[in-house]
Amino acid sequence: MSPSAAVGEAPNASRARVDWAELGARLEPFLIPIFALLVSLALFGAFVALAGQPPLEVYYQMYRGAFGTWFSFQNTLQRASPLLLTALCTALPARAGLIVIGGEGAFVMGGLAAGATGVAMAGSPRGVILGAMFTAGALVGALWIGFCGFLRARRRVNETIASLLLTYIGIALLNHFVEGPLRDPESLNKPSTRHIGEANMLGSIPGLDVHWGLVAGVVACLVAYVLMERTVFGFSAALVGGNARAAKLSGVKVSEVIVITCALAGAAAGVAGSFEVAAVHGRANASLVAGYGYAGILVSFLARHNALAIIPVSLFLGGIAASGGLLQRVFGLPDATVNVLQGILFVVLIASDTLYGRIPWRSLAGAR
């Protein structure tokens, strides 16, 4: 090979290395969550092995319990439905640089408001009752998380702490009302509000044993993506999340953006709670405190707060939750074993945030 040829190839090799480095940097938001998922599965496998069960067989049964049959897949879709909406309760404020973890509170209060509204409007046309229930759930959820945004914007109160504390207050209010003023006298073993009536229950999607919350969740994620990625409001929220002071100097009304974003987030979680009442339970009771709001936090973080990515991640987390019963029957493991996997995944995912921007892609490309 002549020296001139070697010299001629050097720029091409350099460009190849740069291309690999750029590719790695662009794929980083996808590669790091996948890496966190693999590490979590390895740690969970070790946990299962210590419990005396074969990890690979456990993973196979988890797959069967989540996607192996048509029944299990529908169960997964059913569990994923509320996650689509509660995840937005964290993802939307994250666009504005806020960490809101109060989806459980908005979910519970939305369900309580929907249940109380359905009972209060007994005798009205079915469509009017359902419309009022979802409106009430959305409004109460919006006020619940919107209040956190107001405290952040006007009083500089940490939104993470505020939303967490409001969750405890919301659960306490639920217990107070279903055991007191709104209690159905016939609900002896499990205090509940009165039933909204079977005729007023929201039916399933045709051909599926899954309620319409799944469709609402997917549509909400699509709308949220367009809102945050393709509109002036979404651009303003991104400016606030990047640098609130610079956004204010640019003419963005920072306080309004924060409050509106949090209100939209709370409305999504409130609607999720309304679906649990209108399509699943028919009444408000302690069953609303099912952890969907907390699981939504994990979904949002695993999806990197991307509204479109929330859809497949919700399906994945819904499958994990749906497989708990099968693990209990086959291996005798507690039904909450899947919660261990979710906890490990959340911890590893948070820890993996330290990797962003620190992976030496150029050095790795050079070594290649």
Side-chain angles (χ1 to χ4, degrees):
M1 180 183 296
S2 64
S4 60
V7 172
E9 290 179 358
N12 293 332
S14 176
R15 282 197 297 271
R17 286 196 295 270
V18 172
D19 290 343
W20 279 106
E22 291 179 355
L23 180 62
R26 290 185 178 183
L27 292 179
E28 192 173 83
F30 304 97
L31 296 177
I32 292 179
I34 292 175
F35 171 74
L37 175 61
L38 294 176
V39 172
S40 300
L41 291 176
L43 293 175
F44 181 70
F47 168 79
V48 169
L50 290 175
Q53 302 297 337
L56 294 180
E57 181 63 21
V58 169
Y59 287 135
Y60 172 69
Q61 294 299 335
M62 289 180 67
Y63 167 77
R64 285 189 60 232
F67 308 104
T69 65
W70 180 237
F71 172 81
S72 61
F73 181 61
Q74 290 186 100
N75 190 20
T76 294
L77 292 177
Q78 185 88 338
R79 291 174 180 266
S81 299
L83 298 182
L84 293 165
L85 292 167
T86 57
L88 290 176
C89 192
T90 297
L92 293 178
R95 180 74 172 183
L98 307 176
I99 301 178
V100 172
I101 58 174
E104 185 79 0
F107 179 88
V108 166
M109 292 305 297
L112 177 61
T117 301
V119 172
M121 297 190 66
S124 300
R126 177 174 179 270
V128 174
I129 292 177
L130 289 174
M133 288 176 63
F134 286 113
T135 300
L139 286 176
V140 171
L143 290 172
W144 201 255
I145 303 299
F147 181 59
C148 295
F150 173 81
L151 292 176
R152 170 67 178 182
R154 297 297 185 182
R155 294 292 181 264
R156 310 303 298 172
V157 176
N158 184 281
E159 74 282 352
T160 306
I161 301 300
S163 60
L164 177 62
L165 294 180
L166 280 174
T167 293
Y168 292 117
I169 294 174
I171 295 174
L173 286 175
L174 172 71
N175 292 332
H176 167 72
F177 281 107
V178 301
E179 295 178 10
L182 300 179
R183 180 171 181 172
D184 180 4
E186 297 182 1
S187 59
L188 302 178
N189 297 328
K190 191 172 188 177
S192 309
T193 62
R194 295 181 183 274
H195 201 282
I196 64 173
E198 292 295 337
N200 298 322
M201 291 285 291
L202 190 66
S204 299
I205 302 172
L208 293 175
D209 191 19
V210 182
H211 61 71
W212 285 95
L214 176 67
V215 175
V218 172
V219 171
C221 287
L222 295 176
V223 172
Y225 177 80
V226 173
L227 176 66
M228 289 302 175
E229 301 293 340
R230 297 291 186 269
T231 66
V232 174
F233 178 81
F235 180 71
S236 300
L239 284 179
V240 173
N243 190 320
R245 180 172 296 181
K248 190 172 184 179
L249 293 175
S250 300
V252 176
K253 297 180 179 179
V254 175
S255 296
E256 289 185 10
V257 170
I258 290 176
V259 174
I260 293 174
T261 304
C262 288
L264 291 174
V271 169
S274 301
F275 271 107
E276 284 297 298
V277 172
V280 180
H281 304 298
R283 62 180 79 213
N285 52 39
S287 296
L288 288 173
V289 190
Y292 286 123
Y294 297 125
I297 302 171
L298 176 57
V299 171
S300 180
F301 273 87
L302 191 57
R304 300 299 300 168
H305 310 305
N306 183 296
L308 285 184
I310 283 175
I311 298 174
V313 174
S314 295
L315 190 64
F316 173 69
L317 267 295
I320 290 178
S323 65
L326 186 60
L327 293 185
Q328 186 178 33
R329 293 192 298 271
V330 175
F331 300 104
L333 295 171
D335 184 53
T337 300
V338 293
N339 294 337
V340 176
L341 175 56
Q342 292 185 6
I344 293 174
L345 182 59
F346 187 72
V347 172
V348 174
L349 187 66
I350 295 298
S352 68
D353 278 351
T354 59
L355 298 177
Y356 287 94
R358 297 187 179 184
I359 300 177
W361 294 111
R362 293 189 178 277
S363 298
L364 293 175
R368 178 182 175 88

